[in-house]
């Protein structure tokens, strides 16, 4: 039996960030959002319109991550 050395990820970092944001865990939401944008820089433009991040819009760290501060 041969095993795979690569980890298997079930969800992308942007989806995890949105989930954390929806449950009100803003620090984890922003950690995962930052990781997601490092993987795909263009994501910082589309997440601005995601309703899941409404509760982050006034957060300085959120604004820095998406490039509006």
């Amino acid at each position: 039996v041969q095993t795979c050395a690569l980890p298997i990820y079930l969800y992308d970092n942007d989806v995890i960030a949105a989930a954390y944001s929806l449950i009100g865990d803003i620090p984890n939401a922003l950690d995962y959002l930052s990781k997601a944008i490092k993987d795909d820089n263009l994501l910082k433009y589309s997440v601005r319109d995601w309703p899941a991040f409404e509760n982050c819009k006034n957060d300085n760290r959120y604004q820095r991550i998406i490039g509006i501060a």
Side-chain angles (χ1 to χ4, degrees):
V1 174
Q2 192 173 27
T3 59
C4 179
L6 297 175
I8 298 172
Y9 299 104
L10 298 177
Y11 300 102
D12 291 333
N13 286 328
D14 57 336
V15 174
I16 297 170
Y20 274 123
S21 180
L22 288 170
I23 64 170
D25 188 342
I26 304 307
N28 273 322
L30 297 180
D31 288 345
Y32 277 94
L33 183 59
S34 181
K35 291 176 190 179
I37 290 173
K38 285 179 185 170
D39 293 340
D40 179 5
N41 193 50
L42 293 177
L43 185 64
K44 70 182 173 185
Y45 301 107
S46 65
V47 297
R48 295 174 187 182
D49 298 323
W50 289 22
F53 295 107
E54 276 299 314
N55 57 348
C56 298
K57 297 232 177 196
N58 294 324
D59 187 289
N60 290 334
R61 185 172 168 215
Y62 171 79
Q63 293 173 2
R64 282 193 309 275
I65 290 170
I66 66 166
I68 62 173

